[in-house]
């Protein structure tokens, strides 16, 4: 299962120790722009696999979705094993659901004009979360959906993934 119940501060400490233990390693949290680029995997749809999401594609609270369609919910109420669902077209697993993923950026307003590789806000204390979790409705799992998180907070639906390289 993914790591959960870690704060942004915990992750920064972990990254610093990891990088100091492995010569030449440069691990870090992704920027918000990098996270969305990896999640979309070349698509322009709401999710990396289209404009709808079903419980066989991600771990999320599908009660609202399935009540609307008259189906039976498969709400799992917890994290599931990594690689439980089909990866996106770039081979990345569970970019939608399971746990919110911490990003390096501070949470703030996005640029209103088109920007290539935008940088996060320069001030503010909250950090960006992306991807939604097992405890969220489908709309929060969209590739473009963003949320925020206090750097010292820990929750059972927040985790992270690392980027290797500069």
């Amino acid at each position: 299962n993914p790591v959960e119940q870690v704060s942004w501060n915990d992750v920064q400490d972990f990254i610093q120790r990891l990088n100091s233990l492995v010569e030449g390693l440069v691990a870090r949290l992704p920027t918000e722009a990098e996270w969305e680029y990896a999640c979309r995997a070349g698509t322009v749809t709401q999710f990396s696999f289209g404009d709808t999401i079903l419980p066989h594609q991600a771990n999320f609270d599908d009660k609202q979705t399935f009540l609307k369609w008259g189906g039976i919910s498969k709400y799992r109420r917890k994290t599931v094993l990594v690689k439980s669902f089909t990866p996106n077209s770039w081979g990345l697993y569970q970019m939608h659901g399971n746990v919110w993923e911490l990003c390096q950026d501070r949470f703030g307003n996005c640029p209103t004009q088109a920007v290539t590789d935008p940088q996060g806000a320069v001030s503010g204390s909250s950090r960006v979360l992306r991807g939604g979790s097992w405890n969220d409705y489908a709309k929060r799992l969209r590739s473009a959906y963003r949320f925020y998180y206090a750097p010292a907070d820990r929750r059972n639906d927040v985790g992270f993934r690392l980027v290797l390289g500069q």
Side-chain angles (χ1 to χ4, degrees):
N1 289 23
V3 171
E4 59 180 73
Q5 299 184 39
V6 292
S7 71
W8 187 89
N9 294 334
D10 294 336
V11 175
Q12 295 304 307
D13 291 342
F14 170 75
I15 290 170
Q16 184 178 26
R17 284 182 292 177
L18 179 64
N19 286 335
S20 70
L21 290 173
V22 181
E23 186 176 334
L25 184 69
V26 180
R28 61 180 174 78
L29 286 173
T31 66
E32 182 176 11
E34 289 170 331
W35 189 96
E36 186 171 335
Y37 182 77
C39 178
R40 288 186 178 281
T43 66
V44 294
T45 53
Q46 291 190 63
F47 307 97
S48 62
F49 35 74
D51 282 322
T52 59
I53 190 168
L54 298 170
H56 72 275
Q57 296 170 309
N59 184 21
F60 67 103
D61 182 352
D62 70 336
K63 291 186 312 254
Q64 183 180 38
T65 305
F66 274 79
L67 290 175
K68 192 185 309 182
W69 297 344
I72 297 170
S73 173
K74 290 191 168 74
Y75 180 34
R76 295 167 183 92
R77 301 180 195 283
K78 61 182 179 179
T79 61
V80 297
L81 292 173
V82 174
K83 297 187 178 182
S84 292
F85 304 97
T86 304
N88 70 16
S89 63
W90 289 355
L92 299 172
Y93 288 87
Q94 292 169 316
M95 297 297 291
H96 305 284
N98 218 18
V99 291
W100 283 102
E101 295 185 9
L102 292 160
C103 293
Q104 186 63 33
D105 300 351
R106 288 183 173 92
F107 187 84
N109 293 333
C110 291
T112 55
Q113 71 282 2
V115 178
T116 301
D117 197 18
Q119 302 302 305
V122 275
S123 63
S125 60
S126 295
R127 296 296 174 157
V128 173
L129 290 175
R130 297 299 293 260
S133 82
W134 59 267
N135 198 32
D136 287 296
Y137 293 128
K139 71 178 182 178
R140 288 191 169 189
L141 276 64
R142 292 176 295 121
S143 299
Y145 193 86
R146 54 200 303 266
F147 205 58
Y148 57 93
Y149 193 64
D153 286 354
R154 292 182 182 94
R155 290 187 356 203
N156 65 354
D157 64 347
V158 173
F160 66 99
R161 80 176 61 217
L162 296 178
V163 171
L164 300 178
Q166 302 298 338

